[in-house]
């Protein structure tokens, strides 16, 4: 199964909605905490959004998307556009949010995309942590350099990202209705991994330096399956 798209991925995501719901709700709360920058009611000049790596938006908040006058989604998966419209189209129509879905690798020509949409907010939707797996032959240090360069390319923009920081198996089975672990501010990474019941080795997704220094980073647990967890990180950057 290709974890970046394809019919098997979408089938798994659909079947896992109940298991993933606590993380989806936590992410919606985090996203809405940044919605105060948008004025209610759609008026000319209200922000548009470039949603990069949108997939079908399985864990994306329709309520947050409704804050924008226009949403452009980008994903290389040919199934993503149809499924994203199925999941979020009706909600966006209700608030007259224009939706355009593109089957395109936005990361390959990010400077061109930013130039074409100079006032748009940018959000990387759980895509940056997948870069190290898209081409197994690519040196991991090259991937790190590419990820570090993003904050330079996006300087002066309103942007955010949700991405994998690490992922791996757990020492104990994760009960279906179990509460999500919550990271305390004073915990170091090893303490947090202990709370996630991480069974070594965990995969490093090379995203530790995505955000500029000083940006507040939120950590989330994602109960991916009964014995596998992801450590997600999210941050929002203002000009």
């Amino acid at each position: 199964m290709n974890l970046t798209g394809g019919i098997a991925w979408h089938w798994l995501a659909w079947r896992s909605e109940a298991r993933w719901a606590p993380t989806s709700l936590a992410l919606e709360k985090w996203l809405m905490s940044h919605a105060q920058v948008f004025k209610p009611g759609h008026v000319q000049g209200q922000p548009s959004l470039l949603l990069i790596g949108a997939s079908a938006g399985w864990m994306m908040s329709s309520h947050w998307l409704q804050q924008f006058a226009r949403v452009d989604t980008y994903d290389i998966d040919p199934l993503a556009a149809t499924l994203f419209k199925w999941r979020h189209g009706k909600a966006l129509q209700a608030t007259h949010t224009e939706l355009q879905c593109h089957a395109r690798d936005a990361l390959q020509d990010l400077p061109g995309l930013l130039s074409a949409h100079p006032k748009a907010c940018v959000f990387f939707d759980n895509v940056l942590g997948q870069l190290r797996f898209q081409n197994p032959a690519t040196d991991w240090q090259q991937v790190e350099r590419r990820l570090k360069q993003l904050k330079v390319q996006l300087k002066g923009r309103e942007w955010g990202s949700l991405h994998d920081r690490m992922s791996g198996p757990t020492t104990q089975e994760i009960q279906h209705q179990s509460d999500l672990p919550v990271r305390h501010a004073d915990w170091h990474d090893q303490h947090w991994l202990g709370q996630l019941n991480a069974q070594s080795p965990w995969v490093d997704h090379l995203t530790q330096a995505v955000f500029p220094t000083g940006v507040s980073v939120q950590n989330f647990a994602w109960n991916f399956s009964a014995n596998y967890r992801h450590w997600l990180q999210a941050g929002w950057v203002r000009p």
Side-chain angles (χ1 to χ4, degrees):
M1 180 180 67
N2 183 350
L3 291 180
T4 64
I7 188 65
W9 162 251
H10 294 298
W11 173 254
L12 172 65
W14 178 72
R15 290 288 302 271
S16 302
E17 278 193 281
R19 181 183 294 278
W20 297 355
T23 302
S24 297
L25 291 173
L27 294 174
E28 179 177 59
K29 182 178 179 180
W30 176 80
L31 284 168
M32 292 306 298
S33 73
H34 298 284
Q36 71 272 13
V37 299
F38 313 127
K39 297 178 181 179
H42 290 155
V43 296
Q44 186 175 6
Q46 188 182 3
S48 60
L49 174 69
L50 307 182
L51 188 60
I52 297 176
S55 185
W58 290 107
M59 299 173 73
M60 176 52 64
S61 164
S62 291
H63 190 33
W64 182 68
L65 293 172
Q66 289 174 325
Q67 309 301 310
F68 296 90
R70 172 177 171 138
V71 174
D72 284 85
T73 72
Y74 297 86
D75 200 285
I76 59 176
D77 180 359
L79 298 174
T82 299
L83 291 172
F84 192 94
K85 292 174 182 176
W86 169 64
R87 289 186 54 76
H88 299 286
K90 187 175 181 180
L92 297 183
Q93 287 176 3
T95 51
H96 305 289
T97 298
E98 183 182 354
L99 174 63
Q100 296 290 332
C101 298
H102 311 269
R104 172 183 171 187
D105 187 350
L107 290 173
Q108 286 295 329
D109 185 28
L110 185 58
L113 191 64
L114 296 176
S115 178
H117 301 271
K119 296 183 179 180
C121 299
V122 181
F123 190 75
F124 300 94
D125 188 15
N126 207 10
V127 65
L128 298 183
Q130 309 308 316
L131 288 183
R132 70 167 301 177
F133 307 107
Q134 289 184 354
N135 186 353
T138 303
D139 183 86
W140 67 267
Q141 292 175 318
Q142 182 179 337
V143 175
E144 272 197 333
R145 288 192 294 270
R146 183 181 179 190
L147 289 169
K148 288 179 180 178
Q149 184 65 19
L150 284 174
K151 53 180 171 276
V152 178
Q153 293 176 298
L154 292 159
K155 188 175 181 179
R157 302 290 294 241
E158 183 103 6
W159 69 279
S161 178
L162 167 73
H163 49 251
D164 289 310
R165 175 65 187 89
M166 300 186 76
S167 62
T170 57
T171 58
Q172 301 175 18
E173 182 175 341
I174 305 168
Q175 298 303 311
H176 193 72
Q177 300 296 329
S178 62
D179 293 335
L180 289 177
V182 176
R183 181 168 182 169
H184 292 230
D186 58 347
W187 284 357
H188 53 73
D189 288 353
Q190 288 304 315
H191 191 171
W192 171 234
L193 288 169
Q195 294 299 309
L196 295 175
N197 292 325
Q199 178 177 307
S200 182
W202 264 34
V203 176
D204 187 338
H205 291 253
L206 307 179
T207 53
Q208 66 273 17
V210 165
F211 299 115
T213 302
V215 170
S216 177
V217 177
Q218 187 77 30
N219 297 278
F220 299 95
W222 176 18
N223 296 339
F224 185 80
S225 68
N227 54 10
Y228 202 95
R229 267 195 176 117
H230 289 241
W231 164 11
L232 300 176
Q233 285 192 328
W236 193 266
V237 183
R238 293 192 174 94

